[in-house]
């Protein structure tokens, strides 16, 4: 094993198609026009010394180390800023260049500490490397003069010296080691797009500064790590590297947080993770990361992890640690007893979007082949199930149409009900990069999200609609496009059913769908809406990105179809830069859906009533799969309350915290006789569990994740599971205990079974992933290397289907008792229910959920910023602290759901999407008032949770 | 009108069926009933369909007329095998 070394070409690649040929040090090199001489040289294997250049950011030309000579030209130009041209003859090493470089290095080193042996960058320092490369042997200037290195000189304080900034929990800034190459500043601007860093002062006084000479933690810094990665010295260094030392080997793996699915190098020393560094060849993230993937992995070794299986007869008993065998035997006996007593369909399972494809496949296989029913569902039920339904109905495939690279070709981007800078930060950075180059942005969101206005980004239009009126707004956009004749007739005639289009066009053209007519419902200015529609239809390549603000509504599926209609009507499908792109919440939501986690579908989105599909699995598994759909999560809970559903195996999901109407979820779980939770921690659901099976983290197993762009990426094991077994092994052992004859010895064999049974995965294998890095499904005979962009020459279903999308107001309405609308979301530093991120230093950015409320609504209620407030709905009430803001409109309040003590889902109701039962998290009618402290429910819940987490310590004699 | 949370399963099923009907009301009339039936056949577990048939047997069951029309095309679940 060794470190995965990535070549730094010094400057970004040129995308030009025109090639030029030149000679560098006697070697003939052909590169695309616009390539720098530095990069051209590197491609020929010649490394020109450099300090301020790195290929993640544009050339800057400040360090004067990368000088070269060109025959026929005067002077010594910088190779990073000089473009390659046809016929140039370049020399990178001459007497003159050597002298200049040595002189430059001498100056650098004269103002740099010489503590290399004890420096955290020892072994990974570009300054040290360059001193070696130019043959620096002596510094004639000495170290005594003006400097930034020593706190004192001649017994007096050195005003130029600045202490280390250790405010950020994950990295330090040591100004004494800074060479002011400004790579960090440029990474913050160009890669991340936050503009938190700058160079203050001039000349010798120039210093890197976060914000207005603030600490990193107090500045606008979002801790994405791009600056740390860019730093060539120990100035910006991961604290983990300072503590542990340099890594000695690394493996490429995939982040286990959001649906962007970034590729990382897990850099290791033995089995200890030293740091996670984004991988430049990762096709989702292209070398960038966010604070979660880059730094928030500490939960994997957190003391709260449960490492031994536990059981208890009653949920009021304390937990009792048992052997794995005893736990499997207990579950198998209980499940068989329940089925004997209450019928075959009285048990089920939930697969996890945080587990691998292989693990998810096994859980649904256990349910279908072992339990003998189709009662399997997954957390996508509560997030993107409407995407599956809506896109399958209109396009024929339950997935986004593009790859993330596509955004680089978009001219107009519409973001609907998503907050990418918090929820999908790495995609947001790529989007912002494109916006800074001139693409236009339309935001449709009840809240003024950061994208609406942030440094160098400004949305052309923000349709600040009332929660719950997506269908009215998107249909009205279509109204403008159709009535003003802005639709793409050629595309529609070629790719879609023309009669269906005409029916739909007549529907949307009706005056009741005009922006003026819906203003009263939606609160959106008609002129703004018209301009947004015109911009989207006529602005060039138009792409739509959407999130849970679209799906988590009573009309979630209808909105997805309305979005698909809009894309088809404007011809924005089937090429780069366009498309319909669901931003998936969790890393493997796409994968868990693909793997047959839904109760009505076998892997590859094939309905269980389809005999030929069932046949494939019946034969391979030697069972008879039921031809009827099983229960969805909310239906399981209803059936549990009704007494016909009694046992469940939940892998890696915390339904008690993440699902709506907590009291109903608790009642359902309480009514069951055997609840098995397979997780890293005693999560909230485990308070109601009878069996706890310890889970493993993404660092502890092999497998694959499929991200929002359908990209199948490898997850690689870098350390042994602390609990002893990868999750797929636990599921397999449980299956064996239930009498199934499974003998997988490696997840690759599970992928082979997926490929064998599922046409869209037919070509996928670990060998292929090893060769290609990743592939996007469909990957089969027709597309052996996968499919970056879908529906290129026609839709998967044949003709694209236009569907009428009538707005129906949700029954969750405001009234005198509950006059405000609550909507929910996510924050950058935390992830989902927070089970992982709350167990990292990310809590420094968000230690509690806050209720965002407009100043008008706050004033009416006598609420000040930071006050404890009670928020109540028809379902329940909870308390949290208020945050007064103008990001939400009057009448709308907003909160996150990362902390179990807040229990935001006590308030959310049981309303759900008409087609998929996806809960309506995004609209709840509430009242907000002053409060003295936690609600009765919070106090009771806290006590119950504390009681149920007791673990009985066994006597030594036992 | 305030809706109440924590409904019974039967109340929820009526609500869900009516929600589906509401969507198909806006679709072309000749497809509407078939659309409701197909949707329920595709996504409702036999227990839920059985409960729906029990509800259909009652007077004033609160179901949308389109659900009543679709009922003919909704598959009756067979006996649940044990």
């Amino acid at each position: 094993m060794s470190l995965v070394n990535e070549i730094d070409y010094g400057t970004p690649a040129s995308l030009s198609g025109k090639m030029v040929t030149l000679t560098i040090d006697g070697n003939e090199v052909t590169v695309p026009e616009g390539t720098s001489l530095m990069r051209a040289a590197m491609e020929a294997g010649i490394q020109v010394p450099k300090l301020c250049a790195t290929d993640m950011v544009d050339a800057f030309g400040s360090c004067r180390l990368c000088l070269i000579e060109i025959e026929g030209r005067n002077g010594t130009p910088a190779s990073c800023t000089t473009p390659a041209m046809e016929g140039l003859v370049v020399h990178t090493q001459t007497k003159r260049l050597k002298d200049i470089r040595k002189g430059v290095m001498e100056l650098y080193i004269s103002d740099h500490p010489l503590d290399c042996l004890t420096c955290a960058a020892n072994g990974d320092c570009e300054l040290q490397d360059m001193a070696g490369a130019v043959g620096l042997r002596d510094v004639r200037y000495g170290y005594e003069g003006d400097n930034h290195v020593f706190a004192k000189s001649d017994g007096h304080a050195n005003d130029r010296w600045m202490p280390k900034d250790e405010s950020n929990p994950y990295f330090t800034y040591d100004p004494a080691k800074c060479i002011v190459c400004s790579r960090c500043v440029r990474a913050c601007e160009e890669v991340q797009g936050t503009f938190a860093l700058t160079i203050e002062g001039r000349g010798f006084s120039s210093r890197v500064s976060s914000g207005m000479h603030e600490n990193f933690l107090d500045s606008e810094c979002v801790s994405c790590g791009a600056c740390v990665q860019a730093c060539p010295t120990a100035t910006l260094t991961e604290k983990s590297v300072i503590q542990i030392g340099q890594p000695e080997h690394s493996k490429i793996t995939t982040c286990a947080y959001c649906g962007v699915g970034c590729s990382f190098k897990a850099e290791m020393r033995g089995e200890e993770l030293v740091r996670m560094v984004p991988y430049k060849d990762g096709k989702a993230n292209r070398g960038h990361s966010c604070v979660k993937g880059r730094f928030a992995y500490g939960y994997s070794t957190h003391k709260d992890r449960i490492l031994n299986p536990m059981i208890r007869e009653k949920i009021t008993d304390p937990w009792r640690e048992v052997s794995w065998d005893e736990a499997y035997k207990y579950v198998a006996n209980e499940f068989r007893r329940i089925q004997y007593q209450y019928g075959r369909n009285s048990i089920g399972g939930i697969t996890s979007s945080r587990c691998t494809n292989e693990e998810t496949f096994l859980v649904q296989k256990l349910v279908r082949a072992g339990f003998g029913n189709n009662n399997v569902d997954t957390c996508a039920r509560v997030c993107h199930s409407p995407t599956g339904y809506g896109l399958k109905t209109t396009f024929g495939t339950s997935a986004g149409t593009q790859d993330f690279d596509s955004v680089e070709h978009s001219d107009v981007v519409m973001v609907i009900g998503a907050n990418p800078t918090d929820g999908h930060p790495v995609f947001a950075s790529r989007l912002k990069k494109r916006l800074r180059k001139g693409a236009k942005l339309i935001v449709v969101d009840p809240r003024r999200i950061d994208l609406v206005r942030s440094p160098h980004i400004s949305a052309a239009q923000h349709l600040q609609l009332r929660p719950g009126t997506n269908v009215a707004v998107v249909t009205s956009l279509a109204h403008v496009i159709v009535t003003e004749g802005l639709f793409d007739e050629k595309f529609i005639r070629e790719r879609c059913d023309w009669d269906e289009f005409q029916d739909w066009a007549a529907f949307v053209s009706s005056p009741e769908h005009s922006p003026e007519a819906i203003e009263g419902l939606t609160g959106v200015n008609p002129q703004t809406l018209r301009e947004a529609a015109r911009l989207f239809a006529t602005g060039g390549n138009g792409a739509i990105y959407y999130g849970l603000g679209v799906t988590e509504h009573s009309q979630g599926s209808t909105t997805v179809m309305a979005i698909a209609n809009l894309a088809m009507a404007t011809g924005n499908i089937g090429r780069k830069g366009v498309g319909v792109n669901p931003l998936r919440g969790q890393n493997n939501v796409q994968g868990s859906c693909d793997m047959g986690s839904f109760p009505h579908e076998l892997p590859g989105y094939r309905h269980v009533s389809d005999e030929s599909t069932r046949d494939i699995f019946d034969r391979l598994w030697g069972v008879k799969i039921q031809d009827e759909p099983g229960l969805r999560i909310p239906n399981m809970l209803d059936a549990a309350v009704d007494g016909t559903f009694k046992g469940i195996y939940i892998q890696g999901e915390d339904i008690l915290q993440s699902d709506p109407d907590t009291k109903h979820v608790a009642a359902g779980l309480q009514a069951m006789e055997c609840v098995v939770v397979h997780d890293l921690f005693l999560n909230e659901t485990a308070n109601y569990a009878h069996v706890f099976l310890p889970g493993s983290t993404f660092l502890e197993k092999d497998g694959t994740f499929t991200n929002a762009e359908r990209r199948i990426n490898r997850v690689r094991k870098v350390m042994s599971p602390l609990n002893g077994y990868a999750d797929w092994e636990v599921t397999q052992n449980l299956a064996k205990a239930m009498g199934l004859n499974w003998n997988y010895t490696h997840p690759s064999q599970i992928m082979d079974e997926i490929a064998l049974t599922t046409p869209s995965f037919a070509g996928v294998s670990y060998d292929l992933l090893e060769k290609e890095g990743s592939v996007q499904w469909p990957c089969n005979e027709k597309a052996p290397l996968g499919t970056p962009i879908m529906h290129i020459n026609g839709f998967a279903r044949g003709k694209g289907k236009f569907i009428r999308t009538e707005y129906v107001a949700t029954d969750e309405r405001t009234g005198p008792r509950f006059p405000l609308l609550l909507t929910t979301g996510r924050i950058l530093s935390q992830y989902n229910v927070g089970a992982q991120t709350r167990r990292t230093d990310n809590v420094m950015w968000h230690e509690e959920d806050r209720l965002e409320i407009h100043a008008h609504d706050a004033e009416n209620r006598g609420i000040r910023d930071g006050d404890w407030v009670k928020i109540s709905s028809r379902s329940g009430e909870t308390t949290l602290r208020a945050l007064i803001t103008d990001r939400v409109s009057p009448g709308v309040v907003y909160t996150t759901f990362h902390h179990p003590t807040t229990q935001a889902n006590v308030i959310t109701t049981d309303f759900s999407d008409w087609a998929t039962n996806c809960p309506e998290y995004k609209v709840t009618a509430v009242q907000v008032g002053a409060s003295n402290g936690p609600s009765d429910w919070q106090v009771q819940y806290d006590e119950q949770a504390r009681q149920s987490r007791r673990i009985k310590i066994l006597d030594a004699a036992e | 009108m305030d809706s109440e949370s924590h409904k019974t399963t039967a109340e929820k099923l009526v609500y869900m069926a009516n929600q589906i009907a509401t969507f198909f009301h806006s679709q072309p009339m000749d497809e509407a009933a078939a659309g409701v039936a197909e949707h329920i056949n595709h996504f409702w577990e036999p227990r839920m369909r059985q409960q729906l048939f029990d509800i259909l047997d009652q007077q004033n069951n609160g179901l949308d007329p389109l659900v009543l029309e679709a009922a003919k095309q909704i598959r009756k679940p067979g006996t649940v095998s044990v």
Side-chain angles (χ1 to χ4, degrees):
Chain A
M1 284 189 291
S2 60
L3 283 164
V4 175
N5 272 318
E6 294 177 276
I7 297 169
D8 184 351
Y9 290 92
T11 64
S14 163
L15 297 176
S16 170
K18 194 179 162 201
M19 305 301 279
V20 293
T21 300
L22 64 162
T23 308
I24 302 177
D25 292 344
N27 300 288
E28 204 162 87
V29 192
T30 303
V31 292
E33 195 176 46
T35 303
S36 70
L37 289 178
M38 175 183 279
R39 190 176 178 103
M42 197 65 211
E43 284 183 12
I46 300 159
Q47 191 179 7
V48 184
K50 66 176 183 62
L51 280 169
C52 76
T54 182
D55 57 13
M56 286 296 286
V57 293
D58 288 339
F60 196 55
S62 84
C63 75
R64 314 316 291 170
L65 206 60
C66 72
L67 309 182
I68 41 91
E69 289 194 87
I70 301 170
E71 285 184 14
R73 284 198 199 175
N74 288 330
T76 52
S79 64
C80 63
T81 53
T82 309
M85 288 170 73
E86 187 65 38
L88 290 186
V89 178
V90 179
H91 300 282
T92 71
Q93 181 82 344
T94 65
K95 168 85 174 63
R96 187 183 177 198
L97 293 171
K98 288 198 286 187
D99 288 347
I100 297 173
R101 285 188 193 135
K102 209 176 270 189
V104 169
M105 278 311 293
E106 245 181 307
L107 284 165
Y108 270 121
I109 300 302
S110 72
D111 187 23
H112 194 84
L114 295 181
D115 61 348
C116 295
L117 279 180
T118 53
C119 177
N122 189 5
D124 184 28
C125 175
E126 292 182 39
L127 190 67
Q128 198 177 37
D129 294 347
M130 288 307 114
V134 304
L136 185 71
R137 300 290 171 256
D138 185 26
V139 175
R140 290 166 292 165
Y141 310 111
Y143 305 95
E144 268 64 60
D146 253 7
N147 66 73
H148 302 92
V149 179
F150 303 108
K152 284 186 174 176
S153 52
D154 298 336
H156 300 289
N158 175 6
D159 292 341
R160 295 196 187 277
W161 179 83
M162 280 161 57
K164 261 193 197 179
D165 173 0
E166 305 199 72
S167 60
N168 185 292
Y170 298 119
F171 61 85
T172 62
Y173 167 47
D174 184 355
K177 293 190 169 164
C178 179
I179 59 168
V180 203
C181 63
S182 84
R183 271 160 66 161
C184 55
V185 176
R186 287 176 287 142
C188 191
E189 292 179 8
E190 295 175 32
V191 180
Q192 165 58 26
T194 294
F195 295 77
L197 303 183
T198 189
I199 301 287
E200 63 180 31
R202 286 183 296 180
F204 196 63
S205 303
S206 303
R207 311 310 296 271
V208 170
S209 166
S210 44
M212 305 283 279
H213 202 91
E214 295 154 272
N215 279 334
F216 266 80
L217 196 64
D218 300 331
S219 73
E220 302 91 333
C221 168
V222 293
S223 196
C224 69
C227 56
V228 182
Q229 198 179 337
C231 182
T233 68
T235 309
L236 290 161
T237 309
E238 296 90 350
K239 285 184 176 171
S240 58
V241 171
I242 296 174
Q243 281 155 11
I244 303 168
Q246 292 293 329
E248 44 80 26
H249 75 271
S250 58
K251 278 187 186 172
I252 308 301
T253 192
T254 306
C255 178
Y257 283 116
C258 81
V260 177
C262 296
S263 296
F264 279 89
K265 291 185 290 184
E267 298 197 333
M268 310 294 298
R269 180 152 280 282
E271 285 203 294
E272 184 171 24
L273 180 58
V274 176
R275 63 179 171 186
M276 297 284 280
V277 182
Y279 183 48
K280 282 198 287 195
D281 282 344
K283 288 173 187 147
N285 56 319
R286 303 282 178 196
H288 190 37
S289 62
C290 81
V291 61
K292 294 188 285 274
R294 178 83 152 91
F295 296 118
Y297 50 79
Y299 70 88
S300 61
T301 50
H302 195 276
K303 64 177 172 41
D304 285 354
R305 262 188 80 178
I306 302 291
L307 304 178
N308 296 308
M310 304 189 296
I311 59 179
R312 57 182 173 188
E313 276 69 43
K314 297 196 300 289
I315 61 167
T316 48
D317 293 343
W319 285 107
R320 186 164 58 85
E321 288 189 354
V322 296
S323 69
W324 281 99
D325 278 344
E326 192 177 343
Y328 295 135
K329 209 175 284 170
Y330 182 87
V331 177
N333 287 343
E334 276 294 281
F335 280 176
R336 288 302 183 216
R337 173 189 68 78
I338 291 170
Q339 285 192 306
Y340 180 75
Q341 207 170 333
Y342 301 99
R344 197 211 290 185
N345 297 329
S346 59
I347 60 172
I350 298 180
T351 73
S352 175
S353 295
R354 289 175 226 172
C355 288
T356 62
N357 286 318
E358 293 75 6
E359 287 164 341
T360 306
F361 184 86
L362 286 196
V363 173
Q364 64 92 32
K365 180 173 175 178
L366 173 67
V367 171
R368 296 205 154 97
F371 299 177
N373 61 44
N374 285 316
N375 292 332
V376 59
D377 206 359
T378 186
C379 37
R381 173 66 52 213
V382 300
C383 68
H384 264 292
S385 51
T387 292
Y389 180 83
L391 295 186
K392 182 151 196 180
T393 309
T394 49
F395 296 164
T397 313
S398 303
T401 61
Q402 310 296 115
D403 57 4
F404 284 130
D405 284 350
S406 163
V407 76
E408 289 167 18
H409 306 271
S410 297
D411 301 309
V412 185
V413 175
M414 194 185 304
V415 175
I416 311 180
N419 183 11
T421 52
D422 284 85
H424 304 87
V426 171
F427 166 71
S429 289
R430 299 188 67 180
L431 168 62
K432 289 201 286 188
K433 192 170 190 170
R434 179 66 195 154
L435 294 173
R436 287 196 302 275
K437 285 186 180 152
K440 298 281 188 292
L441 174 68
I442 300 164
V443 173
V444 183
D445 201 289
R447 214 167 141 254
R448 197 187 66 231
I449 56 171
D450 282 348
L451 271 184
V452 173
R453 191 147 180 77
S454 59
H456 300 270
I457 303 290
S458 176
Q461 312 291 346
H462 176 204
L463 313 186
Q464 195 164 9
L465 75 181
R466 248 175 232 135
T469 59
N470 287 330
V471 171
V473 169
V474 181
T475 304
S476 195
L477 288 168
H479 171 93
V480 177
I481 288 165
V482 172
T483 55
E484 296 190 5
L486 305 176
F487 53 90
D488 185 342
E489 182 170 342
K490 184 169 171 286
F491 178 92
I492 299 163
R493 283 190 183 275
E494 277 174 24
R495 308 282 185 89
C496 307
D497 185 308
W498 183 250
D499 289 341
E500 280 170 356
F501 169 73
Q502 284 186 311
D503 173 76
W504 172 81
F507 168 80
V508 297
S509 301
S510 119
E512 73 208 52
H513 297 126
S514 73
E516 292 72 21
I518 62 154
E519 185 187 3
L521 297 171
T522 62
V524 177
N525 179 303
Q527 199 51 36
T528 311
L529 196 151
R530 282 190 183 272
E531 275 164 27
R534 288 169 194 148
L535 175 61
F536 185 72
T538 61
N541 282 343
I544 302 175
Y545 291 83
Y546 71 88
L548 305 183
V550 159
T551 54
E552 289 174 348
H553 287 280
S554 286
Q555 280 200 290
S557 293
T558 315
T559 311
V560 173
M561 294 189 282
I563 287 170
N565 289 337
L566 204 59
M568 290 189 291
T570 52
N572 280 314
I573 288 287
R575 60 178 190 279
K576 281 182 186 174
V578 300
V580 174
N581 306 275
L583 292 170
R584 305 278 179 163
Q586 305 205 49
N587 50 333
N588 203 33
V589 175
Q590 183 69 54
S592 68
C593 298
D594 301 341
M595 293 300 106
S597 294
F598 286 136
H600 65 283
E601 278 171 346
L602 290 160
Y605 303 99
R606 291 165 294 170
H607 200 271
V608 290
S609 63
D610 181 52
E611 202 178 333
S612 59
T613 307
R614 282 203 318 277
D615 249 17
I616 298 171
F617 293 96
D618 284 352
R619 267 185 229 169
L620 192 67
W621 297 348
V623 295
K624 198 88 193 134
I625 292 174
Q626 283 195 12
D627 61 353
E628 287 277 16
L631 294 166
R632 301 173 284 197
I633 295 173
N635 313 141
M636 290 181 194
L637 294 165
D638 290 342
V641 172
D642 291 349
T644 63
F645 190 82
K646 291 287 185 184
I648 192 165
Y649 169 41
I650 304 173
Q651 184 175 70
E653 195 188 350
D654 192 359
I655 57 171
L656 190 73
Q657 197 186 338
S658 67
D659 287 27
D661 197 359
T662 308
K663 290 179 182 175
H664 181 64
V665 178
L669 288 169
Q670 222 159 6
M672 295 186 206
E673 294 177 7
C674 186
V675 174
V676 181
V677 168
H678 182 183
D679 209 296
L680 297 175
F681 306 105
L682 278 175
N683 61 18
E684 306 308 307
T685 307
N687 295 345
Y688 294 86
H690 304 89
V691 180
F692 187 89
L693 302 174
S696 55
T697 72
F698 74 113
L699 297 166
E700 299 168 340
K701 59 199 178 191
D702 282 303
T704 57
F705 287 149
T706 307
N707 73 357
E709 42 168 12
R710 295 169 278 106
R711 185 180 302 287
I712 306 160
N713 256 319
R714 271 301 308 276
V715 177
R716 290 186 173 87
K717 180 178 167 180
V718 292
M719 55 178 78
S720 313
L722 286 179
N723 59 319
Y725 300 93
D727 297 336
W728 62 270
E729 294 176 283
V730 173
T731 306
Q732 165 157 287
N733 290 339
L734 182 57
K736 281 180 173 169
M738 292 192 72
L740 296 166
N741 182 25
W742 291 6
N743 292 298
Y744 305 103
T745 55
H746 190 268
S748 62
Q749 297 160 350
I750 306 172
M751 181 52 85
D752 292 342
E753 186 169 321
I754 297 164
L756 184 71
T757 52
T758 310
S760 49
F761 281 73
V764 182
S765 69
Y766 277 36
D767 283 346
L768 182 74
L769 294 173
E770 209 61 47
K771 268 194 288 230
E772 296 298 319
S774 66
V775 290
Q776 289 170 271
W777 68 258
C779 174
N780 47 32
E781 247 177 27
K782 273 193 237 160
L785 295 180
T787 313
I789 293 172
M790 295 198 74
H791 317 299
I792 287 181
N793 295 315
F795 286 95
R797 74 184 293 281
K799 294 277 188 191
K801 187 174 177 65
F802 280 93
I803 291 185
R804 295 187 201 169
T805 53
E806 182 82 78
Y807 168 69
V808 180
T810 167
D811 286 325
E812 181 63 16
R813 283 172 210 176
T814 54
R817 272 169 70 205
F818 303 109
L820 303 173
L821 282 181
L822 168 75
T823 186
T824 57
R826 192 184 267 198
I827 203 161
L828 170 68
S829 56
Q830 299 287 340
Y831 176 72
N832 200 270
V833 296
Q836 293 140 293
T837 46
R838 277 186 284 110
R839 291 181 172 96
T840 69
D841 286 328
N842 276 26
V843 289
M844 290 183 80
W845 285 277
H846 183 81
E847 52 187 4
E848 60 180 333
D849 295 319
R850 298 282 289 265
L851 184 77
E852 290 190 11
I853 183 166
H854 192 274
H856 292 175
D857 293 323
E859 193 183 10
N860 283 342
R861 290 165 176 76
I863 294 167
R864 286 161 309 175
D865 196 54
D867 279 358
W868 280 97
V869 294
K870 182 176 84 174
I871 175 164
S872 43
S873 74
R874 293 174 187 103
S875 288
E877 61 182 49
T878 188
T879 58
L880 68 173
R881 292 199 306 133
L883 179 73
I884 294 176
T885 176
D886 61 355
R887 287 184 149 216
V888 289
S889 305
V892 177
V893 292
Y894 167 90
T895 190
T896 48
F897 63 102
H898 301 305
H899 291 269
T901 45
T902 320
Q903 289 282 342
N905 281 323
V906 171
I907 312 165
T908 52
T909 66
D910 60 6
F911 288 119
S912 65
D913 174 45
W914 67 270
T916 65
N917 270 175
C918 178
E920 186 164 57
Y921 287 113
K922 299 293 182 181
V923 193
T924 311
V926 296
Q927 178 58 292
V928 174
S931 160
N932 291 324
S935 69
D936 292 347
W937 163 266
Q938 281 169 299
V939 174
Q940 272 173 29
Y941 184 86
D942 222 45
E943 175 56 19
Q944 195 265 348
R946 209 178 53 75
Q947 284 293 327
S948 83
R949 291 203 172 106
R950 286 170 302 152
I951 299 172
K952 198 166 132 193
I953 309 296
L954 296 179
D955 292 340
E958 281 190 4
Chain B
M1 189 187 74
D2 274 3
S3 57
E4 287 302 319
S5 195
H6 312 302
K7 293 185 280 275
T8 65
T9 307
E11 284 165 346
K12 280 186 191 172
L13 291 175
V14 170
Y15 186 83
M16 281 159 55
N18 289 350
Q19 260 187 309
I20 296 165
T22 304
F23 173 79
F24 283 99
H25 271 302
S26 69
Q27 302 307 305
M29 265 332 281
D30 49 327
E31 300 167 20
V36 173
E38 191 198 339
H39 194 92
I40 289 176
N41 286 334
H42 258 87
F43 297 104
W44 284 29
E45 200 250 5
R47 242 173 289 194
M48 299 163 69
R49 297 208 308 276
Q50 186 54 53
Q51 279 170 290
L52 181 66
F53 279 108
D54 295 344
I55 296 164
L56 278 162
D57 289 340
Q58 297 159 20
Q59 299 282 310
N60 300 324
N61 49 30
L63 287 167
D64 187 295
L66 189 57
V67 180
L68 304 181
E69 194 189 329
K72 296 184 278 296
Q73 299 173 61
I74 297 175
R75 249 195 347 269
K76 274 240 182 209
T79 46
V80 177
S81 45
V82 176

